[in-house]
Amino acid sequence: VLYKESVGTGTPTPITPEMERVKRNQEICSSVLYKENVGKATPTPVTPEIERVKRNQEIISSVLYKENVGKVTPTPVTPEMERVKRNQEIISSVLYKENLGRATPTPITPEMERVKRNQEHISSVVYKEGLGKATPTPVTPEMERVKRNQEHISSVLYKEHLAKGTPTPMTPEMERAKRNQENISSVLYSDSFRKQVQGKAAYVLDTPEMRRVRETQKHISTVKYHEDFEKSKGSFTPVVTDPITERVKKNMQDFSDISYRGIQRRVVEMERKRVDQDQETLTG
């Protein structure tokens, strides 16, 4: 406070290119002098003791930081604050893109792919090793009710924050792109289905409830079948009689008469007697 009271009113001066140049030179000189004063260091290996001390220091720093934090007064986010925040994000994005230089793309070699896969495997193994044992908790009806309420609240808040959209006409180009995407999705889905699902049976437990439903379905099917049979009983379907049908019918009647009267059996007996007589004639 006293420092600010003793400071008088100043006159702002514009930042000229010359001032920018001097400022950059001062920064370069400070960096050079800092590096000159730094002597040679001896690297030391990171031992488990150093790791333990480092973790303890981090924990102590975190505890002290939380102790020194006082009480704060929350302020509401006004539309003006939202507007300023969006403007700052846009300005930061523009300045970031302006400061980007030209990059040289490098091809992804098989060696890079192999190293990437190894790193993913190592990360997965290390992550699983750090996981402790968990205690499963049952899902109670109260937890289900709270979960559903949270989903309803989230859905309501999400719909409240939605702004009005501007409808865009569906052009033929958009229709063509949509159809192409559907075709690509269908091909990928079919390939995945053939590789993972096709040819594999789905096992379902035969529970008493399923057996009861199956028996009920059988009874319903039987009742429906008898009902349809009673309705169709006594009715017939007329068919056209043509020469071919008449011929087939006559042949079937002849076969039936032969089988019924035993004519076929007598013909076989007579044929056997005739063969025996021929044999006797030849031997006699």
Side-chain angles (χ1 to χ4, degrees), residues 14-31:
I15 298 176
T16 60
E18 182 65 20
M19 294 175 68
E20 287 285 344
R21 186 182 64 79
V22 172
K23 185 178 178 181
R24 284 197 300 273
N25 290 338
Q26 287 293 331
E27 291 175 354
I28 294 169
C29 293
S30 299
S31 175

Side-chain angles (χ1 to χ4, degrees), residues 171-198:
T171 60
E173 181 64 20
M174 293 173 69
E175 287 285 345
R176 185 183 64 79
K178 184 178 178 182
R179 284 196 302 271
N180 290 340
Q181 287 295 328
E182 290 175 354
N183 294 334
I184 293 169
S185 299
S186 176
V187 170
L188 294 176
Y189 173 77
S190 299
D191 290 342
S192 177
F193 175 77
R194 283 194 295 269
K195 291 178 180 177
Q196 299 180 6
V197 180
Q198 193 173 15

Side-chain angles (χ1 to χ4, degrees), residues 17 21-22 44 78 101 133 139 170 180 187 203 218 220:
R21 186 182 64 79
V22 172
T44 58
T78 60
K133 294 182 179 179
V139 179
M170 186 68 72
N180 290 340
V187 170
Y203 298 96
K218 287 181 182 179
I220 294 171

Side-chain angles (χ1 to χ4, degrees), residues 227-259:
E227 183 181 351
D228 296 338
F229 176 75
E230 291 294 332
K231 288 181 180 180
S232 62
K233 187 170 64 175
S235 61
F236 62 92
T237 303
V239 295
V240 180
T241 303
D242 55 352
I244 296 176
T245 306
E246 287 289 341
R247 184 176 60 80
V248 173
K249 184 178 179 182
K250 188 175 181 301
N251 290 337
M252 293 302 294
Q253 187 66 36
D254 293 340
F255 290 149
S256 298
D257 291 342
I258 290 170
S259 299

Side-chain angles (χ1 to χ4, degrees), residues 144-161:
E144 288 286 341
R145 185 183 63 79
V146 172
K147 184 178 178 182
R148 283 196 300 272
N149 291 339
Q150 287 294 330
E151 291 175 355
H152 294 326
I153 294 170
S154 299
S155 176
V156 171
L157 294 176
Y158 172 75
K159 292 179 181 178
E160 287 179 355
H161 293 311

